[in-house]
Amino acid sequence: MSYVVETWELTKVFKKGHVKAVDAVNLRIPKGAIYGLLGHNGAGKTTLLHLLMGMLLPTAGGGTVVGYDMVKESSLVRKSVGFMPENYGLYDYMKVDEFLEYLADLNGIPRSAAKTTIRMLLEEFNLWDHHSKKCGQLSRGMRQKLLVISMLLKEPELLIMDEPTLGLDPLAAREFKELIVRLSAKEGKTIIFSTHLLQEIGGLCSHVGIMYMGKLLIQGEVENIKKRFLKKQGYMITVEAHPLDEAYKLLGDQLQEQVALNRGRILIYAHSDVREAIFDLLASHGIKVRDLHLEIPSLEQIFHKYYRGEC
Ligand SMILES: Nc1ncnc2c1ncn2[C@@H]1O[C@H](COP(=O)(O)OP(=O)(O)OP(=O)(O)O)[C@@H](O)[C@H]1O
Ligand SMILES: [Mg+2]
């Protein structure tokens, strides 16, 4: 499989503070992914993203970003990738359209083509009504959208955003997430964004990477992470059956697994997903199965287990 971003043992040590901010990270980000890089303050997210953009040199390891070597070809990476930094700067005294024209100029986009693209993008993002306002007069949500537009000017296949929803109110944050989904679904863009908020990830990201003290503890497709977690931690299956006592006794006698009774339900702690065997066993003894399901852990539960070092 080819990846839009791939790193090998990527490491950054800040000599001054003796901090290993990024510690042997092997990122694998497939094309079209919405990849959420999750981690507490100081986990190393910003440092990692700066390494990808060639804004910092690695102490060890390396990688490729959109096919370019992140060290030797960092100028090509910066040219092709849209990047929204954590502490971005807008030229507050510039008008919105002037600011975008200026950026287009910096990116070598011909002026007439730029004007058409800028109008199209401002309309698409509902900012056209504000095009002659000064950047400093925009609300935070509008500024975020303007920054996305500024990334899109050079038509990048990869967008990297550092804490893009920081400081947005819930409505603006939701709008922003919808925008990310649209860019991914409609235009097939690969999107990486960092966040320290778990709720930013659920339902939005196809992939997630959890960082802790410079290390990438786990990464992959959200569904796969859940499956891997289940394999490691065990499966909890809940059964509601009638008659309950009979079902409980039968399962306790016949299954190798740990069986418990809790508030009218039978709980089974298993090493694999044995739902079918449970159903067959109960049915063959004429016991009615009212409910039989696997407890799927939430990303939050998984996240906290990893953080507490329980995985
Ligand atoms: N220029 C620097 N010099 C020395 N240490 C640094 C430098 N930049 C970052 N660090 C340290 O590296 C570690 C990782 O910082 P980084 O900013 O990458 O974390 P982060 O996950 O982005 O955190 P946040 O959620 O607060 O933005 C921290 O311990 C930080 O103090
Ligand atoms: Mg940061």
Side-chain angles (χ1 to χ4, degrees):
M1 186 178 209
S2 72
Y3 297 100
V4 176
V5 175
E6 187 168 13
T7 67
W8 301 277
E9 304 293 310
L10 188 60
T11 302
K12 179 71 188 178
V13 179
F14 288 112
K15 296 230 167 54
K16 257 192 185 164
H18 306 283
V19 182
K20 216 179 219 183
V22 171
D23 191 356
V25 165
N26 295 302
L27 273 180
R28 301 280 182 269
I29 304 182
K31 193 172 163 43
I34 301 180
Y35 188 105
L37 186 63
L38 185 67
H40 287 320
N41 294 134
K45 306 177 297 292
T46 297
T47 308
L48 178 58
L49 299 184
H50 284 180
L51 287 168
L52 297 183
M53 291 305 294
M55 293 154 73
L56 282 173
L57 280 176
T59 312
T64 58
V65 177
V66 293
Y68 297 120
D69 185 288
M70 52 182 268
V71 176
K72 290 188 204 124
E73 297 172 302
S74 61
S75 62
L76 291 171
V77 172
R78 281 191 293 276
K79 235 182 194 166
S80 355
V81 177
F83 181 61
M84 186 197 283
E86 194 173 31
N87 300 309
Y88 52 81
L90 285 175
Y91 292 83
D92 283 352
Y93 56 88
M94 265 184 163
K95 286 183 181 166
V96 168
D97 49 6
E98 278 173 6
F99 170 68
L100 290 172
E101 281 165 25
Y102 167 71
L103 285 183
D105 226 27
L106 282 183
N107 282 295
I109 303 166
R111 214 158 262 183
S112 58
K115 269 194 183 294
T116 317
T117 313
I118 287 168
R119 174 156 192 162
M120 201 186 72
L121 286 168
L122 284 171
E123 278 175 350
E124 189 184 336
F125 286 77
N126 296 323
L127 277 184
W128 177 248
D129 289 350
H130 306 281
H131 74 279
S132 57
K133 268 191 189 162
K134 296 239 165 74
C135 292
Q137 295 172 305
L138 298 181
S139 73
R140 195 170 173 102
M142 289 176 192
R143 287 162 79 91
Q144 294 291 65
K145 281 200 219 168
L146 182 57
L147 282 161
V148 175
I149 293 177
S150 69
M151 286 195 288
L152 294 176
L153 280 177
K154 52 185 174 183
E155 299 183 10
E157 63 168 296
L158 170 65
L159 302 175
I160 298 182
M161 304 181 224
D162 197 0
E163 302 268 2
T165 54
L166 202 67
L168 294 186
D169 68 37
L171 196 70
R174 198 169 133 193
E175 220 186 305
F176 195 80
K177 285 190 222 167
E178 284 166 4
L179 169 68
I180 290 181
V181 172
R182 202 164 80 223
L183 288 171
S184 158
K186 210 173 104 190
E187 304 186 26
K189 299 203 184 292
T190 307
I191 296 161
I192 305 172
F193 74 94
S194 73
T195 177
H196 59 276
L197 298 173
L198 193 67
Q199 62 266 36
E200 303 279 290
I201 304 275
L204 172 65
C205 294
S206 60
H207 292 68
V208 63
I210 299 178
M211 267 192 108
Y212 182 68
M213 291 176 77
K215 284 197 186 303
L216 192 63
L217 296 182
I218 189 165
Q219 75 175 330
E221 273 181 71
V222 174
E223 288 313 308
N224 270 344
I225 287 182
K226 287 187 177 175
K227 277 188 202 151
R228 268 151 64 188
F229 179 83
L230 282 173
K231 238 183 191 164
K232 227 172 165 181
Q233 295 287 301
Y235 296 70
M236 189 165 94
I237 297 164
T238 311
V239 187
E240 284 179 41
H242 183 79
L244 185 68
D245 288 344
E246 213 176 297
Y248 174 56
K249 186 170 182 328
L250 181 67
L251 292 172
D253 288 346
Q254 300 281 322
L255 292 181
Q256 304 288 320
E257 327 288 351
Q258 196 188 329
V259 182
L261 203 55
N262 186 319
R263 293 189 205 164
R265 295 182 314 166
I266 302 165
L267 306 180
I268 297 154
Y269 303 94
H271 296 294
S272 59
D273 185 2
V274 288
R275 277 178 292 177
E276 212 174 309
I278 293 171
F279 183 85
D280 290 348
L281 182 63
L282 295 174
S284 68
H285 285 75
I287 296 172
K288 259 198 197 128
V289 178
R290 290 191 170 144
D291 186 40
L292 173 65
H293 70 264
L294 183 66
E295 303 285 339
I296 304 283
S298 68
L299 208 51
E300 191 162 7
Q301 287 166 311
I302 297 176
F303 178 71
H304 289 303
K305 284 243 176 197
Y306 272 99
Y307 263 19
R308 282 194 236 109
E310 292 171 12
C311 276

